[in-house]
Amino acid sequence: MTILILGGTTEATALAQRLAGLGGVNAVLSLAGRTVRPIQSGLPTRIGGFGGVEGLADYLRTVGVKAVIDATHPFAAQMSTNAVEACAAVEVPLARLSRPAWVPVPGDRWVVVPDIDAAARALGPMGDRVFLTTGRQTLHAFAAMPDKTYLARTVDPIAEPPNLPRFEHLQARGPFAAEAERDLMTRYRIDVLVTKNSGGKATAGKLSAARDLGLPVVMVDRPVLPPAHALASVDEAIRWLHP
């Protein structure tokens, strides 16, 4: 049985590592290639896109894939959409392994927006010092609000810094503890946090820190994805693959 994991998340890596340790399983992990040094999974790994729906469908047929698990980032909407359409075209079972979204709790001051451009616009009436944790590919959107002072944190280096007069960059990979996040926001005198609703525990510490400090959070909502069989954990994914 050949299994294709569409990866890019902690859950995808954990699933790949579990499958690599099982005998008689032929699985491939596919990554978009946006992370410079992805964590090793133990499975054969392909890097790069498939060439849209038709390219993915051709890959599934050619390789003889019998099941696909979409464990891409919750904001990788195009890849998830392509997976649904390609799997339907070649009649390959598909399931989506996705961590639950964050939800506000008492004390949170969230401003929920639909996309990155709206996040930049929402900063207008807020404070001057902005902490960006939305990923390196989103930073140029904030050139629409150049009067702010920005601190951006990304996993990988920034090839081309955004056109912002007051911009500082930190490169780091989580998990990030809430206490360390609170210290960082205090040290940089942050007024507002901007993040995507990625969910998960590894980067949730920044939300606790913002809550403790009474800071507003501009929260970019998840895109709406086409329906797919939902898996809530790696264990559920293993059971789905091997009922």
Side-chain angles (χ1 to χ4, degrees):
M1 180 179 183
T2 301
I3 301 162
L4 175 64
I5 303 171
L6 303 175
T9 60
T10 303
E11 291 78 12
T13 302
L15 174 60
Q17 290 170 341
R18 285 279 295 275
L19 292 178
L22 296 178
V25 175
N26 182 25
V28 177
L29 175 64
S30 177
L31 301 175
R34 292 173 181 165
T35 300
V36 176
R37 292 182 179 86
I39 299 172
Q40 297 302 305
S41 70
L43 285 183
T45 302
R46 67 174 302 281
I47 304 292
F50 292 92
V53 175
E54 292 184 4
L56 178 54
D58 287 342
Y59 178 89
L60 299 178
R61 280 191 291 260
T62 301
V63 175
V65 172
K66 300 302 182 185
V68 176
I69 292 186
D70 175 8
T72 57
H73 193 276
F75 283 79
Q78 190 61 63
M79 186 68 252
S80 292
T81 300
N82 290 353
V84 169
E85 296 181 12
C87 287
V90 298
E91 298 183 336
V92 169
L94 168 72
R96 183 178 297 136
L97 174 57
S98 181
R99 68 189 74 151
W102 292 317
V103 294
V105 301
D108 283 332
R109 299 172 56 198
W110 287 14
V111 177
V112 180
V113 296
D115 53 41
I116 290 294
D117 291 335
R121 292 193 298 270
L123 293 175
M126 297 187 181
D128 175 65
R129 304 184 70 84
V130 182
F131 184 24
L132 299 177
T133 63
T134 53
R136 61 192 173 104
Q137 295 182 311
T138 68
L139 300 179
H140 291 280
F142 295 92
M145 198 63 64
D147 295 335
K148 305 288 184 179
T149 299
Y150 291 94
L151 172 67
R153 184 175 64 198
T154 66
V155 174
D156 294 313
I158 300 174
E160 183 180 348
N163 184 23
L164 293 167
R166 292 180 298 281
F167 177 82
E168 189 170 349
H169 175 238
L170 297 175
Q171 185 180 337
R173 185 193 295 267
F176 303 105
E179 183 177 354
E181 296 286 68
R182 195 161 50 245
D183 290 345
L184 184 147
M185 293 184 195
T186 301
R187 186 167 68 253
Y188 282 91
R189 296 181 286 118
I190 297 300
D191 296 315
V192 56
L193 167 67
V194 184
T195 191
K196 293 177 175 178
N197 196 334
S198 302
K201 297 178 180 179
T203 59
K206 59 192 171 187
L207 302 180
S208 297
R211 186 185 314 121
D212 292 345
L213 295 171
L215 301 181
V217 176
V218 178
M219 181 67 71
V220 182
D221 206 2
R222 291 184 176 188
V224 177
L225 302 179
H229 181 78
L231 302 170
S233 68
V234 171
D235 286 339
E236 278 193 24
I238 295 294
R239 289 194 293 270
W240 182 75
L241 291 168
H242 297 280

